[in-house]
Amino acid sequence: MFYLTEQFFSIQGEGKYAGVPSYFLRTGGCNLNCPGFGTCYEMNGELRYGCDTYFAVDASFAKIWQKIEQSSELIAKLKDEFQIIGYRPHVVITGGEPLLYYKDKVFYEVIEWLVSQKILVTFETNGTIEIDFKNYPAYKNCVFALSIKLTNSGESREKRINSRALRSIVSYAKESFLKFTIDARLIETTALAEINAIREILPKSDIYCMPVGESRESIVKNDKFVFYFCMAQNFRYSDRLHIRVFDTTQGV
Ligand code: SF4
């Protein structure tokens, strides 16, 4: 059994596949909180801080998440959706942290089906969970967007960087790349040193940097800094198209 918080057809807004029509499956739950990203929300009368997908991270929202107990039901729904779309789009599995469920029987059956249909599957992951590729080989056929968290996430290094997990994903998966969410303050201080420390673990991975921001208003505070940082360091700039176009609307 695993939790889905939303599923929808849209366009991938970030990273290497930005601009590609994509079907999103967003799982519920995460092993990090990332309060440093500063999205403020209210829960049970208390103000809390998290990332832009706090509703898929904070277990207090679990009562509105959908329990997926049968892979056949989700697969049937996907078949219907793809029929309506008219083709089988790129599928993005995001969260929260979707790899929390990588061994889950129902979850793995869905991945096996997607891979068997030759559908391009990208996992958006924080890269902290080590996958057993030998016993779960379908993951070898997936793309991994490794959104490794830096100090601006507000999480400790021990929680946000797992060298073994990262090396394993990069060596076994058919494709992977690094994606960092950074802001003006981090660029002025430790962004380059932190990224270089991760490059020592993964020296060959392509690097994408995108601006922190859960809304249009907050993205414009950081985008130019990230843009010039990428030019200076020969990194790839990634925008957040869905936020530019839809602002804070969920499910797009
Ligand atoms: S790892 Fe990603 S989904 Fe989880 S709290 Fe951090 S930014 Fe949000």
Side-chain angles (χ1 to χ4, degrees):
M1 184 282 292
F2 69 101
Y3 284 109
L4 265 190
T5 67
E6 50 182 1
Q7 59 188 110
F8 55 91
F9 182 47
S10 183
I11 283 184
Q12 171 63 300
E14 308 172 351
K16 183 171 182 177
Y17 290 92
V20 176
S22 304
Y23 193 89
F24 287 77
L25 296 172
R26 186 183 302 285
T27 59
C30 188
N31 55 342
L32 303 182
N33 287 307
C34 300
F37 290 142
T39 302
C40 183
Y41 61 99
E42 193 180 327
M43 174 54 68
N44 302 328
E46 172 196 333
L47 283 184
R48 295 183 185 177
Y49 289 89
C51 67
D52 56 345
T53 56
Y54 62 87
F55 56 90
V57 171
D58 189 332
S60 303
F61 290 87
K63 49 188 172 297
I64 56 168
W65 296 345
Q66 184 190 1
K67 255 187 198 175
I68 306 296
E69 295 180 293
Q70 299 283 340
S71 58
S72 55
E73 284 175 20
L74 180 56
I75 289 168
K77 163 96 172 157
L78 291 173
K79 284 179 181 168
D80 287 348
E81 296 274 81
F82 297 169
Q83 183 89 28
I84 294 164
I85 291 165
Y87 57 92
R88 290 182 296 190
H90 173 219
V91 170
V92 179
I93 305 182
T94 185
E97 175 46 59
L99 294 182
L100 285 179
Y101 299 109
Y102 93 86
K103 285 182 175 174
D104 179 86
K105 181 174 177 293
V106 177
F107 185 82
Y108 190 63
E109 283 169 1
V110 175
I111 304 305
E112 280 186 308
W113 178 77
L114 289 166
V115 166
S116 75
Q117 299 301 300
K118 309 253 182 291
I119 291 169
L120 178 64
V121 177
T122 295
F123 279 94
E124 300 270 1
T125 172
N126 60 31
T128 59
I129 294 172
E130 189 174 354
I131 297 175
D132 177 353
F133 282 95
K134 193 166 163 229
N135 288 308
Y136 297 88
Y139 295 109
K140 290 182 184 171
N141 296 304
C142 299
V143 177
F144 289 81
L146 295 167
S147 300
I148 302 170
K149 303 305 167 225
L150 302 178
T151 50
N152 60 339
S153 66
E155 295 285 5
S156 67
R157 192 186 188 285
E158 295 66 40
K159 279 184 79 177
R160 60 187 164 76
I161 298 178
N162 180 341
S163 305
R164 274 177 57 123
L166 293 171
R167 285 199 186 98
S168 169
I169 288 172
V170 169
S171 48
Y172 285 105
K174 75 167 183 179
E175 188 180 342
S176 61
F177 56 90
L178 304 179
K179 186 159 63 92
F180 297 106
T181 308
I182 56 179
D183 54 80
R185 199 186 60 78
L186 196 72
I187 290 169
E188 284 164 359
T189 54
T190 57
L192 186 58
E194 291 187 53
I195 292 173
N196 280 340
I198 291 164
R199 288 171 104 184
E200 285 180 19
I201 306 168
L202 305 174
K204 293 188 180 153
S205 298
D206 288 338
I207 295 176
Y208 291 77
C209 295
M210 63 183 196
V212 168
E214 82 294 349
S215 65
R216 280 185 199 137
E217 194 188 347
S218 55
I219 279 188
V220 295
K221 289 182 185 155
N222 296 303
D223 56 4
K224 288 191 184 61
F225 290 90
V226 178
F227 195 100
Y228 290 124
F229 178 67
C230 287
M231 286 172 68
Q233 303 304 332
N234 197 17
F235 298 154
R236 299 169 188 205
Y237 177 84
S238 167
D239 210 50
R240 311 182 84 173
L241 298 177
H242 47 300
I243 296 176
R244 293 276 186 203
V245 177
F246 296 104
D247 200 11
T248 54
T249 309
Q250 291 173 15
V252 288

